Amino acid sequence: MQRFVFLGSPMAASSMSETVDLISKRLHNGEFTQHTVVNVAKVVNMRSDAELAKSVTECDIIYIDGMGVVCGTRFLGHDVSERMAGVGLFHQLNRMAEIESLSVFYLGAKQEIVEETAKCMQKTHPHLVIVGTHHGDFWDDEVSLVKLIKDSGAKLLFFAITSPNKENFINKWRGQLGVDFVMGVGGIFDVVAGKVQRAPLWMQKSGLEWLYRVIQEPRRMWKRYLITNSKFAWLLLKEKFGANQWQS
C-alpha cells in the first residue's frame, strides 16, 4: 500500500481488493479501524479547521475520494492510479460482512432513508446481519446513541453524515462505540436508497461525477465546487512552485 502526505494530510492508495483484505485482516486481529476518505472540499477545510484536521489525520485508513485529489496528487508527483469510490467500497465491505458473518449498523441521513438503505442491502445480501439503524439527528443526546450502537453488538458501523461532523463524532467516541470498524459514507445512503442517482458509468470513469452532482443539485453544489476548487488550485500551485514565488 502506497502511503504519502498530500497538502498536510497523510493518505494511502491501493486497489479495492487490497483495501477490503486489509480491513478484513484488521477485523480478525481485533484491531479497531477508523476509515475516512479525503476529497477536495475536505483538503481545503482541513487547512482552516484544526479539529477536522486532527480527526482526519488520526484515522487508521485515509483514502482518496474524488478525481480532483487524484489529479492534484499526480500534479505534485505522486503515483496515484485511481480514486477509491466510497460507494463501491461500501458495497464490498457489506458483502464481506455477509460472508464472514459480521454484524453492521447504519447511522445517518433521515430515518426513512436509512431504513430504506437497510432494506435494499438486506435484499442484495440476504444473510447480512443488520443489527440497527438510526437517523442522523441525534446531536442533543450523543451518549444515548453511543450506548445504542454498543449494545447492538455491531462490528461495522457505516456513518452517513456530512463533514466535519462525522469525522469529529467518530474521533470523539471511537473508544466507546464497541465496534471494530467505522466508515464515514457521506451521501451513500441516499444513493443506495434511490433518492439520488449516481452518474452514468462513462462520467464516473471520466472523473465527471462532480458535474453530475451539480446538474442534479445546482443551487446547493455550484458554489461549493467553485469556491473549494479555486482554493484547492491555489494550494496546489503554492505547493508545487513554492509560496515565495506567489508573493508580491
Side-chain angles (χ1 to χ4, degrees), residues 90-109:
F90 172 77
H91 283 290
Q92 287 296 316
L93 289 174
N94 277 272
R95 179 174 179 271
M96 177 203 72
E98 179 186 33
I99 293 171
E100 300 184 13
S101 299
L102 300 171
S103 54
V104 304
F105 193 109
Y106 300 141
L107 170 63

Side-chain angles (χ1 to χ4, degrees), residues 5-248:
V5 176
F6 174 70
L7 295 179
S9 174
M11 57 182 63
S14 67
S15 68
M16 182 75 73
S17 61
E18 289 173 333
T19 303
V20 175
D21 288 345
L22 172 62
I23 292 170
S24 177
K25 182 179 179 180
R26 289 177 64 93
L27 282 165
H28 286 287
N29 288 340
E31 298 177 78
F32 176 83
T33 304
Q34 182 178 348
H35 174 285
T36 193
V37 294
V38 177
N39 56 21
V40 167
K42 200 175 295 184
V43 168
V44 170
N45 292 332
M46 284 170 63
R47 309 288 289 196
S48 58
D49 187 333
E51 184 179 7
L52 173 62
K54 180 176 183 293
S55 297
V56 170
T57 56
E58 291 184 355
C59 288
D60 304 285
I61 300 177
I62 306 170
Y63 282 140
I64 297 170
D65 181 28
M67 283 303 298
V69 178
V70 171
C71 293
T73 57
R74 293 172 181 169
F75 180 69
L76 296 184
H78 300 290
D79 183 19
V80 177
S81 60
E82 60 183 16
R83 61 185 282 246
M84 177 71 68
V87 65
L89 181 58
F90 172 77
H91 283 290
Q92 287 296 316
L93 289 174
N94 277 272
R95 179 174 179 271
M96 177 203 72
E98 179 186 33
I99 293 171
E100 300 184 13
S101 299
L102 300 171
S103 54
V104 304
F105 193 109
Y106 300 141
L107 170 63
K110 295 180 179 179
Q111 187 63 36
E112 61 268 25
I113 294 297
V114 70
E115 288 178 356
E116 184 61 27
T117 297
K119 290 179 182 178
C120 291
M121 296 306 296
Q122 196 74 80
K123 184 176 181 180
T124 304
H125 304 286
H127 302 293
L128 178 64
V129 181
I130 302 173
V131 294
T133 63
H134 196 283
H135 59 78
D137 186 16
F138 56 81
W139 303 106
D140 58 337
D141 193 359
E142 295 181 29
V143 174
S144 294
L145 175 67
V146 170
K147 185 178 185 302
L148 176 67
I149 295 169
K150 184 176 182 179
D151 291 347
S152 74
K155 294 299 182 182
L156 289 81
L157 171 64
F158 296 99
F159 189 16
I161 296 288
T162 56
S163 296
N165 292 335
K166 67 172 177 286
E167 291 85 2
N168 295 339
F169 174 85
I170 295 169
N171 202 46
K172 175 182 177 181
W173 295 105
R174 57 183 287 170
Q176 301 175 54
L177 290 166
V179 300
D180 295 326
F181 174 82
V182 183
M183 177 182 175
V185 296
I188 287 176
F189 289 176
D190 287 335
V191 175
V192 174
K195 181 183 178 183
V196 175
Q197 290 186 335
R198 284 198 76 186
L201 188 58
W202 70 268
M203 295 188 81
Q204 296 177 36
K205 292 182 176 180
S206 302
L208 295 174
E209 281 190 278
W210 66 271
L211 178 59
Y212 192 76
R213 291 190 67 190
V214 172
I215 293 172
Q216 284 189 305
E217 302 178 87
R219 292 186 178 181
R220 189 172 74 90
M221 301 304 298
W222 77 267
K223 188 175 181 180
R224 167 184 164 182
Y225 280 109
L226 176 64
I227 293 174
T228 57
N229 286 2
S230 298
K231 290 181 178 179
F232 182 68
W234 177 244
L235 291 173
L236 286 174
L237 291 173
K238 288 199 297 182
E239 184 74 15
K240 179 75 171 181
F241 301 109
N244 292 334
Q245 297 186 36
W246 298 93
Q247 295 175 353
S248 57

